[in-house]
Amino acid sequence: MKIVTIVGARPQFIKAAVVSRVLRSVSKAREILVHTGQHYDEKMSDIFFKELEIQRPDYHLGVGSGFHGAQTGRMLEAVEQVLLEEKPDWVLVYGDTNSTLAGALAAVKLHISVAHVEAGLRSFNRRMPEEINRVLTDHAADMLFAPTRAAVENLRRESISEERIHLVGDVMYDAALYYGEKARRESRVLERLGLKPESYILVTIHRAENTDTPSRLQAIVEGLCEVGKSIPVVFPVHPRTRKALERHRLFDEAVASLRLIEPVGYLDMVMLEQNARLIATDSGGVQKEAFFYRVPCVTLRGETEWVEIVELGWNRLVYPHSANAVANGITEGLASTGGMEGEPYGNGRSGELIVQRLLAV
């Protein structure tokens, strides 16, 4: 069986690494890896392939950034050419990026079966580009690999047929188990930055609703700066976030009060997550990694797709409408001792289940 895997952004590299490792161990499967180039900076892409031990892409499309429609269109055209050449049995897509949607659309128009890993997630916020991508991909796909029971119920409510839905758990949990131990062995980021365990807050901000809305970005920066008076705030700055900080004249204020650093590799990021006192983020993947490592999390959004960790008490939602809201939410999070125990994301064997289902068709 020939499977074309399409990735383009950091979270997809992590998820694909889990499934690809299983695929490589199966003799009757052959994987062709396509990197759209959605994240093309060396710090945002190449280092992940090295650390995650992913094979070099068979195709690197080099699409780069741009407006959503233009970027998706370029991807759709380029992916279609790959699929016409390779003629795979399945196209495997991950998550909710423009790469995900372009891969799914290119495949279904060529009558190639599509499998979607991380299907069924919903924020119920149609203003998020990611929400549109995930909904359209789910309805186009032939096989939907849902990470949670809530995701399964979302798909059922949208009248997706039962035989297309497969509850497999979350591949990110597989990754956390495997790479968490590797990070403890190999990462030296705490020593490089002079940090001690549980002595700092780790921050990641990258979503468009936060970076492209000046009032929200200002509230986040000012709130973080207030918190930074009492505890160091370590902030690996996403390239888009850096541009937004500079565009909205917030960069100097952030530099003065926060510890801004360049984006880090995956193993260093895992090490920073594992040892943080608290994580503040707008990333879905980082929310879950905080839970996997049992670190309290504050999500700077009005909603989350990962409702389970909010219900268990490990994550709290803080809508960044003001600096006080951000600072107070983080301060409350710092006072938290964690949440209830639970394993809503499977048993760490999601990659194996996905490959088993694909090969059983």
Side-chain angles (χ1 to χ4, degrees), residues 19-156:
V19 179
S20 294
R21 191 164 56 247
V22 180
L23 281 172
R24 290 198 302 268
S25 70
V26 177
S27 59
K28 62 179 181 177
R30 180 188 171 207
E31 183 184 32
I32 305 296
L33 187 61
V34 177
H35 183 356
T36 65
Q38 184 170 334
H39 280 171
Y40 53 96
D41 182 270
E42 201 274 341
K43 291 186 177 67
M44 299 294 286
S45 178
D46 290 354
I47 191 170
F48 265 44
F49 281 83
K50 297 171 187 173
E51 294 185 340
L52 294 169
E53 301 165 337
I54 307 175
Q55 69 181 56
R56 303 305 302 170
D58 298 280
Y59 295 87
H60 196 306
L61 306 182
V63 169
S65 61
F67 290 110
H68 287 287
Q71 185 187 59
T72 307
R74 292 196 300 271
M75 289 177 183
L76 182 59
E77 181 178 14
V79 169
E80 182 179 60
Q81 291 305 309
V82 173
L83 299 183
L84 286 169
E85 181 175 338
E86 293 292 344
K87 299 179 174 59
D89 300 290
W90 283 91
V91 167
L92 189 58
V93 295
Y94 292 82
D96 54 20
T97 70
N98 289 341
S99 299
T100 310
L101 179 59
L105 287 176
V108 296
K109 287 180 177 292
L110 294 173
H111 309 293
I112 298 169
S113 297
V114 176
H116 183 201
V117 176
E118 212 174 70
L121 298 183
R122 298 292 183 268
S123 67
F124 303 102
N125 178 2
R126 289 295 184 102
R127 293 183 64 83
M128 290 176 59
E130 295 90 349
E131 181 79 349
I132 302 303
N133 290 344
R134 62 174 72 107
V135 170
L136 293 177
T137 300
D138 282 341
H139 283 266
D142 301 275
M143 192 174 290
L144 302 169
F145 293 121
T148 64
R149 295 189 183 280
V152 170
E153 291 305 314
N154 288 337
L155 295 170
R156 286 172 175 163

Side-chain angles (χ1 to χ4, degrees), residues 151-215:
V152 170
E153 291 305 314
N154 288 337
L155 295 170
R156 286 172 175 163
R157 279 195 295 270
E158 293 174 14
S159 300
I160 290 177
S161 58
E162 201 72 29
E163 63 270 16
R164 293 163 59 195
I165 304 171
H166 302 271
L167 177 62
V168 296
D170 194 334
V171 292
M172 290 290 285
Y173 185 41
D174 299 30
L177 294 175
Y178 183 84
Y179 294 106
E181 179 57 37
K182 186 177 182 184
R184 285 188 287 272
R185 292 194 312 269
E186 299 182 15
S187 174
R188 298 293 177 267
V189 67
L190 297 185
E191 292 88 338
R192 289 202 311 273
L193 297 178
L195 298 171
K196 294 181 179 179
E198 298 189 23
S199 69
Y200 60 92
I201 294 172
L202 177 66
V203 173
T204 77
I205 300 294
H206 77 280
R207 287 192 180 271
E209 63 262 35
N210 284 333
T211 61
D212 296 350
T213 305
S215 61

Side-chain angles (χ1 to χ4, degrees), residues 128-355:
M128 290 176 59
E130 295 90 349
E131 181 79 349
I132 302 303
N133 290 344
R134 62 174 72 107
V135 170
L136 293 177
T137 300
D138 282 341
H139 283 266
D142 301 275
M143 192 174 290
L144 302 169
F145 293 121
T148 64
R149 295 189 183 280
V152 170
E153 291 305 314
N154 288 337
L155 295 170
R156 286 172 175 163
R157 279 195 295 270
E158 293 174 14
S159 300
I160 290 177
S161 58
E162 201 72 29
E163 63 270 16
R164 293 163 59 195
I165 304 171
H166 302 271
L167 177 62
V168 296
D170 194 334
V171 292
M172 290 290 285
Y173 185 41
D174 299 30
L177 294 175
Y178 183 84
Y179 294 106
E181 179 57 37
K182 186 177 182 184
R184 285 188 287 272
R185 292 194 312 269
E186 299 182 15
S187 174
R188 298 293 177 267
V189 67
L190 297 185
E191 292 88 338
R192 289 202 311 273
L193 297 178
L195 298 171
K196 294 181 179 179
E198 298 189 23
S199 69
Y200 60 92
I201 294 172
L202 177 66
V203 173
T204 77
I205 300 294
H206 77 280
R207 287 192 180 271
E209 63 262 35
N210 284 333
T211 61
D212 296 350
T213 305
S215 61
R216 288 179 66 161
L217 189 59
Q218 182 175 355
I220 290 169
V221 169
E222 292 180 355
L224 291 173
C225 289
E226 181 63 29
V227 173
K229 294 175 181 177
S230 58
I231 183 171
V233 177
V234 178
F235 189 174
V237 185
H238 189 287
R240 182 169 67 196
T241 306
R242 178 180 289 273
K243 291 178 182 177
L245 290 170
E246 293 170 347
R247 184 169 63 250
H248 301 309
R249 300 181 180 177
L250 294 167
F251 188 79
D252 289 344
E253 180 180 359
V255 167
S257 300
L258 310 176
R259 185 138 185 211
L260 272 58
I261 62 174
E262 292 294 318
V264 295
Y266 181 58
L267 296 182
D268 283 349
M269 187 63 181
V270 166
M271 195 66 175
L272 288 170
E273 290 171 345
Q274 290 175 325
N275 289 280
R277 172 66 188 85
L278 177 137
I279 294 172
T281 187
D282 59 8
S283 162
V286 174
Q287 289 174 51
K288 285 185 298 173
E289 287 167 341
F291 171 69
F292 297 150
Y293 302 129
R294 298 303 191 263
V295 175
C297 184
V298 171
T299 294
L300 297 171
R301 290 169 52 193
E303 71 287 309
T304 181
E305 303 80 8
W306 304 104
V307 295
E308 300 82 9
I309 47 179
V310 175
E311 293 168 353
L312 288 171
W314 286 95
N315 188 17
R316 63 186 63 216
L317 295 175
V318 174
Y319 185 79
H321 61 84
S322 70
N324 283 340
V326 172
N328 291 340
I330 293 175
T331 300
E332 291 171 7
L334 285 169
S336 167
T337 56
M340 297 180 290
E341 285 302 313
E343 297 295 347
Y345 301 114
N347 60 6
R349 296 184 58 247
S350 301
E352 294 173 37
L353 291 174
I354 288 168
V355 172

